[in-house]
Amino acid sequence: MWQLYQFPLCPFSRKLRLLMGEKNIAYELVRENPWEGRDEFWHLNPAGRTPVLHDAGRGTALSDSQAICEYLEETVERNPMINGSALQRAEIRRLVALFDDNFYADVTEPALHEKMKKRIVLRQSPDAQVLRQMGRLLHGHLDYIDWLVDTRQWLAGAQLSLADLTCAAHLSVVEYLGAIDWKGHEQTQGWYMVMKSRPSFRPLLSEKMEGIPPPREYASLDL
Amino acid sequence: MWQLYQFPLCPFSRKLRLLMGEKNIAYELVRENPWEGRDEFWHLNPAGRTPVLHDAGRGTALSDSQAICEYLEETVERNPMINGSALQRAEIRRLVALFDDNFYADVTEPALHEKMKKRIVLRQSPDAQVLRQMGRLLHGHLDYIDWLVDTRQWLAGAQLSLADLTCAAHLSVVEYLGAIDWKGHEQTQGWYMVMKSRPSFRPLLSEKMEGIPPPREYASLDL
């Protein structure tokens, strides 16, 4: 069975878990705090990042969340999430990168640093100025996601895809950290509630990061 | 014909140009300085990054370098660069991400910021401390690339792949900026000279970034 090295608030691991949930692929969780820089973990992934998908029996260790998603798409046909024509697949991958690179750098990463890492690793208070700037950038990203929701059935087109899973993974981390303000973004909020109610999302909603309780609305499926 | 929006020292555009060169895909260059934030460019790519591959005739604008590379792999069969079994393809994509994410953040991005952006945009002097830290991190990355070169024919295995093109693209930017010290890394230097002597590399070596002359060894194919 696959072992997934991750920590509960890693957005890239969440993206992968949502994909494995949609494709009904079994795995067990292995807790890994990449900031501890364990030698054994660096041996599995020299990039030092979660997730790593490890099959000790077959001696296979896959890393980089997008490389793993592409691997699972190629090897497990059920419920394809990078699907359609080459142009549609390019659009899915463009949005995945937009969330994993831009949204992460602007929003998820500062939220994790200020509200998780400073709390449980550095023992510092969050920087209000950084959080305000993050909020402004989040607002801009939500405007763009609102536009996608308004003009398409799902974020990348007519079908649920890895773009939806990736965006929902990042938003779920930011929501867990109490850093989302949905005001003016009812379209995206509605789409996100639909994503949250999928069975693939359930294991994420019940999981806690120690020392950081989520806000009450996090596990709720009501608007 | 494809139009490729880029600036000469963009490592992601270089990776794409190397792939298009290997696959013999025609394109013309359109100069874009993403830091100027042109509205027209943001309209093509809301991530605001180069490269963008645009076909005005067909109304197609592709962005994110990896999404574009995957698109070209799927639509142009000649000289596949993400090839082999699903596991081999996962290894190619893992290394591409290692160079595009980790190597970029540790080395290419600080080199570009200190030695290009400060010179031609911000009109500031480079920060010697940042460059020293970049040099230390580059040394660690070169150790890992040495190991790949020592144990495999090409970086990801028995075949030339997008991993080699991506690594060479980043190294070529750092070399252009005069920020590489090859001492102790003769294996990687030898592999890089082989990459540089490929026809796909030639257009890159003759191109200049205004105001920043490359060191003499940049365009040289001798060790």
Side-chain angles (χ1 to χ4, degrees):
Chain A
M1 181 148 75
W2 289 113
Q3 292 186 310
L4 176 59
Y5 286 69
Q6 60 99 49
F7 63 98
L9 292 181
C10 169
F12 308 106
S13 305
R14 285 179 168 236
K15 158 193 176 187
L16 181 55
R17 292 175 70 183
L18 291 173
L19 181 67
M20 295 179 87
E22 293 291 339
K23 295 177 96 67
N24 212 7
I25 301 169
Y27 61 92
E28 60 185 34
L29 293 177
V30 178
R31 176 59 183 268
E32 184 70 43
N33 296 333
W35 54 87
E36 292 172 0
R38 274 199 320 129
D39 282 351
E40 203 180 284
F41 183 63
W42 279 76
H43 187 76
L44 284 179
N45 178 16
R49 292 177 75 171
T50 48
V52 169
L53 196 60
H54 187 221
D55 184 334
R58 286 187 290 176
T60 307
L62 302 174
S63 55
D64 179 66
S65 75
Q66 190 56 22
I68 302 173
C69 289
E70 298 277 358
Y71 175 85
L72 295 177
E73 280 291 291
E74 292 180 4
T75 54
V76 181
E77 281 180 33
R78 201 168 37 238
N79 296 337
M81 291 285 148
I82 308 176
N83 205 16
S85 70
L87 264 183
Q88 287 162 333
R89 292 156 64 87
E91 176 64 359
I92 294 166
R93 293 186 177 111
R94 174 185 79 83
L95 288 173
V96 168
L98 185 71
F99 302 128
D100 277 348
D101 294 345
N102 297 57
F103 189 96
Y104 176 73
D106 290 344
V107 180
T108 325
E109 199 281 327
L112 280 169
H113 186 80
E114 297 301 323
K115 299 196 128 203
M116 181 195 78
K117 211 167 170 193
K118 282 195 172 173
R119 184 146 175 185
I120 64 174
V121 185
L122 305 170
R123 309 276 170 195
Q124 295 170 356
S125 302
D127 183 325
Q129 204 179 335
V130 172
L131 290 175
R132 269 197 303 277
Q133 169 67 359
M134 183 223 79
R136 273 191 293 270
L137 294 171
L138 170 61
H139 186 63
H141 282 284
L142 289 174
D143 277 343
Y144 184 66
I145 303 167
D146 287 342
W147 177 80
L148 293 174
V149 171
D150 276 346
T151 52
R152 301 168 173 188
Q153 266 181 283
W154 296 94
L155 296 192
Q159 285 187 307
L160 175 76
S161 77
L162 190 60
D164 300 277
L165 305 183
T166 307
C167 184
H170 284 273
L171 286 174
S172 73
V173 172
V174 182
E175 190 193 32
Y176 186 108
L177 294 167
I180 283 204
D181 178 4
W182 290 116
K183 202 163 157 248
H185 302 290
E186 286 71 23
Q187 300 98 310
T188 299
Q189 187 180 20
W191 161 88
Y192 176 61
M193 296 311 288
V194 171
M195 292 302 296
K196 255 169 91 162
S197 62
R198 296 185 74 81
S200 62
F201 228 98
R202 216 159 291 152
L204 274 58
L205 294 180
S206 59
E207 213 181 311
K208 303 278 190 298
M209 187 83 190
E210 61 283 358
I212 307 177
R216 198 189 320 183
E217 64 272 22
Y218 173 71
S220 157
L221 298 178
D222 301 316
L223 275 176
Chain B
M1 179 148 72
W2 290 113
Q3 290 186 311
L4 175 59
Y5 286 68
Q6 59 99 50
F7 62 98
L9 292 181
C10 169
F12 309 106
S13 304
R14 284 180 169 234
K15 159 195 175 186
L16 180 55
R17 292 176 69 183
L18 290 173
L19 180 67
M20 294 180 88
E22 293 290 338
K23 295 178 96 67
N24 212 6
I25 301 169
Y27 61 92
E28 60 184 35
L29 294 177
V30 178
R31 176 59 182 269
E32 184 70 44
N33 296 333
W35 54 85
E36 292 173 1
R38 272 200 321 130
D39 283 349
E40 202 180 287
F41 183 62
W42 279 77
H43 188 76
L44 283 179
N45 178 16
R49 293 176 74 170
T50 47
V52 168
L53 196 60
H54 187 221
D55 184 334
R58 286 186 290 174
T60 308
L62 302 175
S63 56
D64 178 65
S65 75
Q66 191 56 22
I68 303 173
C69 289
E70 299 277 357
Y71 174 86
L72 295 176
E73 280 291 291
E74 291 180 4
T75 53
V76 182
E77 284 182 31
R78 201 167 38 238
N79 296 335
M81 290 286 147
I82 307 176
N83 204 18
S85 69
L87 265 184
Q88 286 163 334
R89 292 157 63 88
E91 176 64 359
I92 293 166
R93 292 186 178 111
R94 175 185 78 83
L95 288 173
V96 167
L98 185 72
F99 302 128
D100 276 348
D101 295 345
N102 297 56
F103 189 97
Y104 176 73
D106 291 344
V107 180
T108 325
E109 199 281 327
L112 280 169
H113 187 80
E114 297 300 322
K115 300 194 126 201
M116 181 195 79
K117 210 165 170 195
K118 283 196 172 174
R119 186 148 173 181
I120 64 174
V121 185
L122 306 170
R123 310 277 167 190
Q124 295 169 353
S125 303
D127 183 325
Q129 204 179 333
V130 172
L131 290 174
R132 270 197 303 275
Q133 170 67 358
M134 182 223 79
R136 274 191 294 270
L137 294 171
L138 171 60
H139 186 63
H141 281 285
L142 290 174
D143 277 345
Y144 183 67
I145 302 166
D146 287 344
W147 177 81
L148 293 173
V149 172
D150 276 348
T151 53
R152 302 168 172 188
Q153 267 180 281
W154 296 93
L155 296 192
Q159 285 188 308
L160 175 75
S161 78
L162 190 61
D164 299 277
L165 305 183
T166 308
C167 184
H170 284 273
L171 286 174
S172 73
V173 172
V174 182
E175 191 194 33
Y176 186 107
L177 295 168
I180 282 204
D181 178 3
W182 290 114
K183 203 163 157 247
H185 302 291
E186 287 72 21
Q187 299 98 309
T188 300
Q189 188 181 19
W191 161 87
Y192 177 61
M193 295 312 287
V194 170
M195 292 301 297
K196 256 168 90 161
S197 64
R198 296 186 73 82
S200 62
F201 228 99
R202 214 158 294 151
L204 274 58
L205 295 179
S206 59
E207 213 178 311
K208 303 277 189 300
M209 186 82 189
E210 61 284 358
I212 307 178
R216 201 191 316 183
E217 63 272 23
Y218 173 71
S220 158
L221 299 177
D222 302 317
L223 275 175

